[in-house]
Amino acid sequence: MNALELKDKRILVTGGTGFLGRQVVNQLYKAGANPEKITLPRSRDCDLRLMENCQRAVDQQDIVIHLAAHVGGIGLNREKPAELFYDNLMMGTQLIHAAYQAGVEKFVCVGTICAYPKFTPVPFKEDDLWNGYPEETNAPYGIAKKALLVQLQAYRQQYGFNGIYLLPVNLYGPEDNFDPRSSHVIPALIRKVYEAQIKGEKQIPVWGDGSPTREFLYSEDAARGIVMGTQYYNDPEPVNLGTGYEISIRDLISLICELMGYEGEIVWETDKPNGQPRRCLDTERAKQAFGFAAQVDFKQGLKNTIEWWRQNAA
């Protein structure tokens, strides 16, 4: 496989100062990119929902890695479905169009696992992406991101524009978002356990009934996969990035309690939504196409995340 040489490339990373973005930037450095040629726009100075900002951002760039997203857990998905649809669609679709117009050499779009249909045979294969409607709470976000795959494939077909689409599974790791209003399941649970320990509470409420399964990818692994895709993958088909390891929410909270030394009781709030029943990816295409396989063991990744939170909780 011929690698795309990064050392002389001007690279725009949207969302590059975020949780995944910082890891992607580190992996770009490791792959030989020149730190002085990497641009990281901040949302407060560069609102990508506006076309002129997208045009300004992609000007003179060789590669665009689009990570920026308005995203959160199940709570945010229920509270702000319209914003999640509009913001993600407008950012992505205008950025892709601006990048094509500006003659950008390669566009790397990071999609979402929420794009998969609610009932997809497990493990999820990329070819199943269109076989049904996404889980309802995730659908506005998932469909907005999935539209970008269609756009990239259309621009490749009509204009020869090289855009690739990667689908990382649920991410976790140090520096994750621990805000209870918008966090995903792992940081949300770690924070719950931590606060129960501090307050001496003997019970923790957790949404749903614990039966759904999820797969989690350590942020550093995800970033490595994204940079490998940037260097080695040039095909129109979407590619899953994951571990292939599936764990139920019930087992996840048990493991977090064990690692944090919490012995209280879990109270399942069965009136709250479970979300998608199962999530686990088929990771064969990434292995075959550009040699990506996750490296960080789940338990170790959780330990690192808990450790980071304990040090930074204040």
Side-chain angles (χ1 to χ4, degrees):
M1 290 189 290
N2 288 338
L4 177 62
E5 271 299 332
L6 300 179
K7 72 174 194 306
D8 298 321
K9 301 291 183 198
R10 289 161 302 194
I11 306 172
L12 174 76
V13 185
T14 72
T17 57
F19 163 53
L20 175 60
R22 288 192 286 264
Q23 297 287 349
V24 167
V25 170
N26 284 339
Q27 294 298 324
L28 284 169
Y29 296 159
K30 283 186 178 170
N34 178 346
E36 287 173 12
K37 296 193 171 188
I38 296 177
T39 305
L40 310 173
R42 299 299 294 257
S43 57
R44 60 170 180 263
D45 315 313
C46 183
D47 183 343
L48 295 172
R49 293 171 301 182
L50 301 174
M51 186 59 171
E52 57 270 28
N53 290 342
C54 291
Q55 288 166 327
R56 209 168 48 240
V58 300
D59 186 41
Q60 306 289 312
Q61 301 293 336
D62 300 310
I63 299 168
V64 174
I65 301 178
H66 180 44
L67 307 173
H70 185 176
V71 64
I74 209 165
L76 189 72
N77 283 332
R78 291 173 83 196
E79 194 188 324
K80 298 190 168 171
E83 282 180 36
L84 290 172
F85 180 83
Y86 181 83
D87 292 354
N88 288 294
L89 185 69
M90 298 314 284
M91 282 195 286
T93 202
Q94 296 187 123
L95 196 68
I96 290 169
H97 190 68
Y100 150 68
Q101 287 183 315
V104 166
E105 184 181 329
K106 186 164 188 178
F107 194 102
V108 179
C109 187
V110 176
T112 171
I113 214 65
C114 300
Y116 273 101
K118 181 173 183 174
F119 298 105
T120 308
V122 176
F124 296 5
K125 290 186 161 60
E126 292 92 345
D127 298 341
D128 293 330
L129 203 52
W130 296 100
N131 295 346
Y133 195 75
E135 196 276 317
E136 294 77 7
T137 50
N138 294 322
Y141 172 64
I143 288 171
K145 296 290 271 187
K146 190 151 67 162
L148 306 180
L149 167 61
V150 179
Q151 185 180 3
L152 288 172
Q153 290 174 332
Y155 279 48
R156 181 184 289 269
Q157 192 183 334
Q158 188 173 341
Y159 307 132
F161 184 61
N162 186 12
I164 66 166
Y165 192 88
L166 306 173
L167 285 156
V169 77
N170 298 43
L171 302 179
Y172 75 103
E175 303 186 340
D176 203 341
N177 167 23
F178 282 81
D179 179 340
R181 289 176 313 235
S182 57
S183 58
H184 285 109
V185 61
I186 286 182
L189 292 176
I190 290 173
R191 181 168 181 152
K192 268 188 177 168
V193 173
Y194 175 84
E195 289 179 350
Q197 285 177 312
I198 284 181
K199 294 172 186 163
E201 288 167 357
K202 298 283 176 270
Q203 287 187 331
I204 297 180
V206 179
W207 277 26
D209 62 13
S211 67
T213 64
R214 292 291 179 264
E215 170 184 345
F216 298 97
L217 182 61
Y218 195 60
S219 54
E220 188 184 318
D221 271 337
R224 214 168 33 82
I226 290 164
V227 173
M228 287 172 80
T230 304
Q231 289 187 283
Y232 297 105
Y233 188 67
N234 297 295
D235 291 339
E237 290 80 30
V239 183
N240 287 334
L241 298 178
T243 61
Y245 171 72
E246 188 180 8
I247 185 170
S248 73
I249 299 299
R250 190 173 287 276
D251 290 344
L252 173 64
I253 185 69
S254 299
L255 181 56
I256 289 172
C257 289
E258 179 197 318
L259 292 174
M260 295 182 74
Y262 179 72
E263 289 170 2
E265 184 197 352
I266 305 304
V267 178
W268 295 101
E269 299 189 294
T270 50
D271 59 325
K272 298 286 204 296
N274 267 329
Q276 198 165 18
R278 286 181 74 186
R279 258 188 213 171
C280 184
L281 299 187
D282 182 303
T283 56
E284 206 42 44
R285 186 177 283 174
K287 217 171 277 165
Q288 298 296 333
F290 48 91
F292 171 72
Q295 291 173 351
V296 179
D297 169 73
F298 185 55
K299 205 168 180 179
Q300 186 56 53
L302 271 183
K303 280 183 187 164
N304 299 350
T305 310
I306 290 164
E307 189 52 39
W308 182 86
W309 171 246
R310 282 197 166 132
Q311 288 172 3
N312 294 276

